[in-house]
Amino acid sequence: MGLWTLLEGFLLLANALAILNEDRFLAPRGWSFSEFSVGRTKSLKGQIIGLIYATQYLRVPLVLLNSIFIVVKLISG
């Protein structure tokens, strides 16, 4: 496993977190951002929810990174 494969795996994980819908998936399971107060964001669950929302705000850079990965994969085979 090389560095490229590791980066590709992190990109796939970021894509998976970015497409989670709050209304259909997160809120019914109690993972909505609005349910957490400021003090509860220090917990592991609060940190994971913060990570999910951070990746959702970074969708445009994710599209650019996906495009770069696709072009490199097409060139390198």
Side-chain angles (χ1 to χ4, degrees):
M1 182 169 98
L3 179 62
W4 183 258
T5 307
L6 187 65
L7 290 174
E8 193 173 6
F10 282 133
L11 182 64
L12 289 172
L13 180 66
N15 284 327
L17 293 176
I19 64 169
L20 292 177
N21 189 331
E22 181 178 2
D23 296 332
R24 286 195 254 162
F25 183 76
L26 297 174
R29 289 162 178 80
W31 287 69
S32 176
F33 194 68
S34 62
E35 293 179 8
F36 283 88
S37 61
V38 176
R40 293 185 62 192
T41 57
K42 299 290 184 192
S43 67
L44 179 64
K45 187 176 180 181
Q47 293 290 321
I48 292 172
I49 290 173
L51 177 66
I52 290 170
Y53 280 92
T55 56
Q56 289 179 354
Y57 283 119
L58 295 173
R59 285 186 182 175
V60 173
L62 277 175
V63 169
L64 294 173
L65 281 173
N66 283 321
S67 301
I68 291 169
F69 269 74
I70 289 170
V71 168
V72 170
K73 280 288 206 183
L74 285 174
I75 292 172
S76 67

